[in-house]
C-alpha cells in the first residue's frame, strides 16, 4: 500500500509546540488546553483579539523546525516502511510559507534522516496525490479530485466530533490498518 | 485540462542564471554555452574537477530566487488559466533543499503573485501527481506509478536527442496543445 502521512498534528506536535511557546511568551493571557481545542486551526479557538498573537507564534522562525515529534509517529512510519509499504509525508504549508516550507524539510531531515527528504510532498490540494491511504488530522479534506486514497483520521481533540470515518492514533495503528 | 508545469528549465531560466553567475565568478574557467549543453543536469556537462564549483553556484543562497523567467512562460501560464485549464507548478527541489525550497515559493510569489503559491506542488516523484499534461524539460520522468499525464517535453538543447514525444516551447504551445 502507498500510505500518505500528514505532518502537523500527526507526526509533528504542532499543538504542544504552539502552547508551550504561547504560554511562555504570554504568561498572563488566556489559553486553550489541547483537550479543550474544538477547531482544526488553533487560531479559531482564540478570541479575535488574541489571534494576531497566536499567528505570530506559529509563523515565527524556528517554530516548525523545533516542533516535538508526536509519540510513536516516527517509529510507526519506519515500521510501516519495513513492512513494505510506500510511505510519503504529504503536507500543506502555512500560507506564510517563509520559513515554514524549508523548516518542514529540516524537520524531516533531523528526525527521519536524509533518505526521507525524497518522500516529502508539499501540496495544497492533497486530492491530487495518488495513494491508498491518507492519515491526516484534518476533519474534511477536499480538492479538485475525488481522492484515490481513503482518509483515515488521526484522532485529536479538535476532530472528535467528526463521524463515520476510520480513525487511528500511533497507539492503535496496527489494529486499525489490519481491518 | 489539468496542466502541470515544471519550474526549472521551463518557467525559470536555470541555465541562463547559472551561466551568468558562473562566468562572473570564474571568468578564467572553461564553460559550456546553452546551445552546447548535452546532459539534463548542468554539472554533468562539466569536468569532474569543475563540478564542485558548478554545484556551489546553483546551491548558493539567492540563486533560485533570482532566476530570470524564460521568455513567454509566465504569460503562457496565465493565458492557459484564463482559458479555463487548471494549472499547477510541479517541481522537484534540489537535494540540497535549503534554501532551494523556500526560494521556489518566493520566485512564484514574486513573478506570478500570491494566488499561485497554492498551485505549487513540490514532489520528487511526479508520477504520483494527477494531471492530464506535464510540461517538463526532463527527458525521461519515471516513478512509482504509470503517469496519469502525458509528458510534453519542453524543448531545450540538452533534450534535443529525445525521440517520439510531443514537444513545445512557449513560442508554439498553442499549436501543440491544440493538436
Amino acid at each position: 500500500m502507498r500510505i500518505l502521512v500528514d505532518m502537523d498534528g500527526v507526526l509533528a506536535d504542532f499543538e504542544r509546540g504552539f502552547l508551550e511557546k504561547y504560554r511562555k511568551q504570554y504568561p498572563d493571557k488566556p489559553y486553550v488546553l489541547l483537550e479543550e481545542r474544538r477547531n482544526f486551526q488553533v487560531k479559531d479557538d482564540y478570541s479575535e483579539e488574541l489571534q494576531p498573537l497566536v499567528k505570530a507564534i506559529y509563523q515565527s522562525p524556528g517554530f516548525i523546525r523545533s516542533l516535538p515529534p508526536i509519540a510513536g509517529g516516527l517509529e510507526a512510519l519506519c515500521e510501516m516502511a519495513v513492512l513494505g509499504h510506500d510511505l510519503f509525508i504529504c503536507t500543506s504549508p502555512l500560507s506564510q510559507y517563509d520559513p515554514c516550507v524549508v523548516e518542514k524539510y529540516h524537520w524531516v531531515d533531523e528526525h527521519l534522516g536524509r533518505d526521507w527528504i525524497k518522500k516529502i510532498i508539499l501540496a495544497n490540494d492533497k486530492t491530487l496525490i495518488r495513494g491508498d491511504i491518507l492519515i491526516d488530522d484534518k476533519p474534511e479534506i477536499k480538492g479538485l479530485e475525488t481522492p484515490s486514497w481513503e482518509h483515515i483520521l488521526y484522532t485529536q481533540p479538535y476532530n472528535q466530533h467528526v463521524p463515520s470515518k476510520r480513525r487511528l492514533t500511533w497507539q492503535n495503528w496496527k489494529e486499525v490498518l489490519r481491518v
Side-chain angles (χ1 to χ4, degrees), chain A residues 17-30:
Chain A
F18 166 76
L19 201 56
E20 280 174 5
K21 283 213 165 69
Y22 177 87
R23 291 182 65 179
K24 197 171 169 189
Q25 196 152 341
Y26 305 109
D28 302 327
K29 300 278 186 197

Side-chain angles (χ1 to χ4, degrees), chain A residues 76 79-80 83 168-177:
Chain A
E79 214 170 319
M80 288 182 209
L83 288 170
L168 58 69
T169 67
W170 298 129
Q171 276 62 61
N172 68 6
W173 68 272
K174 286 183 201 176
E175 291 71 43
V176 175
L177 292 188

Side-chain angles (χ1 to χ4, degrees), chain A residues 21 57 59-67 99 103:
Chain A
K21 283 213 165 69
I57 295 284
Q59 291 174 346
S60 64
F63 175 78
I64 296 287
R65 187 169 178 171
S66 65
L67 289 177
E103 292 199 10

Side-chain angles (χ1 to χ4, degrees), chain A residues 138-149:
Chain A
K138 191 172 184 176
E140 293 294 333
I141 299 173
K142 289 184 176 163
L144 289 172
E145 290 271 4
T146 303
S148 59
W149 31 258

Side-chain angles (χ1 to χ4, degrees), chain A residues 20 22 24 33 47 53 55 75 79 86 92 94 98 111 124 148 166:
Chain A
E20 280 174 5
Y22 177 87
K24 197 171 169 189
L33 286 172
S47 69
L53 310 185
K55 280 193 208 171
E75 297 77 358
E79 214 170 319
D86 280 331
S92 304
L94 297 174
D98 188 355
H111 289 283
N124 204 267
S148 59
R166 278 210 285 171

Side-chain angles (χ1 to χ4, degrees), chain A residues 80-124:
Chain A
M80 288 182 209
V82 168
L83 288 170
H85 299 297
D86 280 331
L87 273 292
F88 286 86
I89 297 168
C90 191
T91 176
S92 304
L94 297 174
S95 59
Q96 185 169 316
Y97 56 81
D98 188 355
C100 165
V101 292
V102 77
E103 292 199 10
K104 281 177 177 281
Y105 277 70
H106 277 296
W107 194 94
V108 171
D109 197 355
E110 287 160 16
H111 289 283
L112 286 158
R114 197 72 181 188
D115 288 350
W116 283 83
I117 287 295
K118 291 185 179 170
K119 300 293 193 171
I120 300 173
I121 301 175
L122 279 188
N124 204 267

Side-chain angles (χ1 to χ4, degrees), chain A residues 18-19 22 30-32 42-48 51 54:
Chain A
F18 166 76
L19 201 56
Y22 177 87
Y31 59 88
V32 183
V42 61
K43 72 172 171 56
D44 296 333
D45 273 341
Y46 284 75
S47 69
E48 219 165 291
Q51 287 187 7
V54 169

